[in-house]
């Protein structure tokens, strides 16, 4: 099975992608962590990424996003499926994201859209914080470790991302609506889109996805 999973900030697609990867024996490619991981590698692509992501702190271009996905896909055994999380996030990334599947003889079967409302997205993201050292995420009021403000994994300080404010979230939602909604429309027209209500609890969302995946097979 080869799947793309997309959705606005805070929709929980990362968690769902991990659960799906485990259930269906897929490799989860998450763009943010793939970028960070490859930026730390001593390769020509790694050096280029380090320059853009860590030094200049700029957004990476479509070409580089494609290189990163291709590199990740190359490392996956041919008999394993992929769940691609967070790409393509705009129309100009579609061809190259799909080429990556094709290059390895894989076929994109479904695109999952985890939908939540704008107010839910703002609400969830404003409660989010993360470890400044290892990057692990936490939810305020939910994970008790936050009371101490120390990461249980590595002892780093837990902080809130500067742009995880209602205004920051709204700005990113605008970009999602402008750039990613057309991608979802494109897959809807191809009959590949699966829309999922992301406002239920994690297990119910997962159940919905699994049921829909089974039905369409
Ligand atoms: Zn940590």
């Amino acid at each position: 099975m080869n799947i793309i999973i997309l959705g606005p900030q805070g929709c929980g697609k990362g968690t769902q992608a991990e659960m799906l990867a485990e259930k269906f024996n897929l490799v989860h490619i998450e763009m943010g962590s793939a970028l960070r991981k490859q930026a730390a590698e001593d390769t020509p692509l790694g050096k280029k990424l380090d320059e853009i992501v860590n030094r200049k702190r700029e957004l990476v271009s479509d070409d580089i996003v494609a290189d990163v996905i291709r590199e990740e896909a190359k490392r996956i055994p041919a008999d394993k499926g992929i769940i691609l999380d967070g790409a393509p996030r705009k129309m100009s990334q579609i061809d190259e994201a799909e080429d990556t599947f094709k290059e390895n003889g894989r076929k994109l079967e479904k695109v999952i859209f985890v939908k939540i409302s704008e107010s839910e997205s703002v609400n969830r993201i404003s409660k989010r914080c993360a470890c400044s050292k290892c990057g692990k995420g936490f939810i305020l009021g939910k994970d008790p470790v936050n009371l101490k403000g120390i990461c249980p994994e590595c002892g780093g300080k837990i902080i809130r991302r500067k742009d995880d404010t209602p205004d920051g979230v709204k700005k990113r939602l605008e970009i999602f609506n402008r750039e990613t909604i057309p991608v979802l429309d494109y897959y809807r027209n191809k009959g590949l889109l699966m829309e999922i209500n992301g406002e239920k609890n994690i297990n119910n969302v997962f159940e919905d996805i699994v049921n829909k995946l089974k039905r369409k097979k």
Side-chain angles (χ1 to χ4, degrees):
M1 194 185 306
N2 295 288
I3 311 173
I4 288 172
I5 188 163
L6 296 168
Q9 291 240 307
C11 73
K13 67 184 167 57
T15 307
Q16 296 298 329
E18 270 172 38
M19 291 163 81
L20 289 165
E22 175 146 356
K23 182 167 177 75
F24 296 108
N25 193 25
L26 310 173
V27 175
H28 176 198
I29 302 181
E30 195 274 309
M31 281 315 296
S33 62
L35 283 171
R36 283 191 297 275
K37 188 182 77 191
Q38 290 191 30
E41 291 174 0
D42 189 17
T43 60
L45 178 59
K47 283 182 189 139
K48 213 191 305 177
L49 283 170
D50 181 52
E51 175 76 20
I52 300 167
V53 180
N54 299 326
R55 284 171 222 282
K56 294 187 182 160
R57 296 185 180 277
E58 288 171 357
L59 286 172
V60 292
S61 67
D62 293 349
D63 285 351
I64 294 187
V65 167
D67 285 345
V68 170
I69 300 175
R70 196 170 298 125
E71 185 56 40
E72 287 295 307
K74 245 194 259 169
R75 301 175 187 184
I76 297 170
D79 59 339
K80 272 206 158 195
I82 295 177
I83 179 159
L84 182 58
D85 170 3
R89 47 177 4 132
K90 49 185 170 177
M91 291 301 284
S92 56
Q93 293 175 352
I94 286 181
D95 282 348
E96 273 161 326
E98 288 193 7
D99 278 351
T100 313
F101 286 107
K102 281 181 212 141
E103 253 174 53
N104 296 276
R106 297 184 173 93
K107 187 175 166 273
L108 174 62
E109 281 149 82
K110 279 283 165 255
V111 177
I112 301 170
F113 174 21
V114 185
K115 247 175 148 170
I116 57 171
S117 67
E118 182 172 324
S119 57
E120 181 72 8
S121 179
V122 171
N123 185 26
R124 288 185 186 182
I125 298 296
S126 351
K127 286 186 195 151
R128 188 171 75 170
C129 49
C131 173
S132 56
K133 214 166 142 196
C134 72
K136 187 177 162 59
F138 301 93
I139 306 293
L140 286 177
K142 204 173 154 199
D143 298 308
V145 290
N146 294 323
L147 299 173
K148 286 184 245 155
I150 298 293
C151 172
E153 306 278 322
C154 76
K157 205 174 154 210
I158 291 171
I159 51 159
R160 198 170 201 174
R161 260 178 52 173
K162 234 200 271 159
D163 50 350
D164 279 350
T165 58
D167 276 350
V169 181
K170 279 185 187 148
K171 228 174 253 169
R172 280 174 284 166
L173 283 174
E174 271 169 36
I175 297 175
F176 181 85
N177 289 335
R178 193 174 60 233
E179 297 187 338
T180 312
I181 291 291
V183 174
L184 297 166
D185 289 339
Y186 167 85
Y187 284 119
R188 187 179 294 112
N189 289 333
K190 291 185 94 181
L192 294 179
L193 195 72
M194 231 175 77
E195 288 184 47
I196 296 289
N197 174 4
E199 296 198 11
K200 301 184 189 174
N201 76 43
I202 289 174
N203 289 325
N204 289 339
V205 173
F206 184 62
E207 212 173 287
D208 284 354
I209 295 176
V210 171
N211 286 339
K212 278 202 177 178
L213 281 174
K214 283 184 178 159
R215 215 179 302 153
K216 300 247 169 108
K217 260 184 137 183

Coordinates of all heavy atoms in Angstrom, one line a residue, residues 131-136 138 151-156, ligand 1:
C131 N 10.2 20.1 22.9 CA 11.5 20.1 23.5 C 12.5 20.9 22.7 O 12.6 20.7 21.5 CB 12.0 18.7 23.7 SG 13.7 18.7 24.3
S132 N 13.2 21.9 23.3 CA 14.2 22.7 22.5 C 15.4 21.9 22.1 O 16.1 22.3 21.2 CB 14.6 23.9 23.3 OG 15.1 23.5 24.6
K133 N 15.6 20.7 22.7 CA 16.8 19.9 22.4 C 16.5 18.8 21.4 O 17.1 18.7 20.4 CB 17.3 19.4 23.7 CG 18.8 19.3 23.7 CD 19.3 19.1 25.2 CE 20.5 18.1 25.2 NZ 20.7 17.6 26.6
C134 N 15.5 18.0 21.7 CA 15.3 16.8 20.8 C 14.1 17.0 19.9 O 13.9 16.1 19.0 CB 15.1 15.5 21.7 SG 13.6 15.4 22.6
G135 N 13.3 18.0 20.1 CA 12.2 18.3 19.2 C 10.9 17.5 19.5 O 9.9 17.7 18.8
K136 N 10.9 16.7 20.6 CA 9.7 16.0 20.9 C 8.5 16.9 21.2 O 8.7 17.9 21.9 CB 9.9 15.0 22.0 CG 8.8 14.1 22.3 CD 9.2 13.1 23.5 CE 7.9 12.5 24.1 NZ 7.1 11.7 23.2
F138 N 4.8 18.2 22.8 CA 3.9 18.0 24.0 C 2.6 18.8 23.8 O 2.7 19.8 23.1 CB 4.6 18.4 25.3 CG 5.9 17.6 25.5 CD1 7.1 18.1 25.1 CD2 5.8 16.3 26.1 CE1 8.2 17.3 25.3 CE2 6.9 15.6 26.3 CZ 8.2 16.1 25.9
C151 N 12.0 18.1 29.4 CA 11.7 16.9 28.5 C 12.1 15.6 29.2 O 13.2 15.4 29.7 CB 12.5 17.1 27.2 SG 12.3 15.6 26.2
P152 N 11.1 14.7 29.3 CA 11.4 13.4 30.0 C 12.3 12.5 29.1 O 12.9 11.6 29.6 CB 10.0 12.7 30.1 CG 9.2 13.4 29.0 CD 9.7 14.7 28.8
E153 N 12.5 12.8 27.9 CA 13.3 12.0 27.0 C 14.8 12.4 27.1 O 15.7 11.5 27.1 CB 12.9 12.2 25.5 CG 11.4 12.0 25.2 CD 11.1 10.5 25.1 OE1 11.9 9.8 24.5 OE2 10.0 10.1 25.5
C154 N 15.0 13.7 27.1 CA 16.4 14.1 27.0 C 16.8 15.2 28.1 O 18.0 15.6 28.1 CB 16.7 14.7 25.6 SG 16.1 16.3 25.3
G155 N 15.9 15.7 28.9 CA 16.2 16.7 29.9 C 16.3 18.1 29.4 O 16.6 19.0 30.1
G156 N 15.9 18.3 28.1 CA 16.0 19.6 27.5 C 14.8 20.4 27.9 O 13.9 20.0 28.6
Ligands
LIG1 ZN1 13.9 16.3 24.6

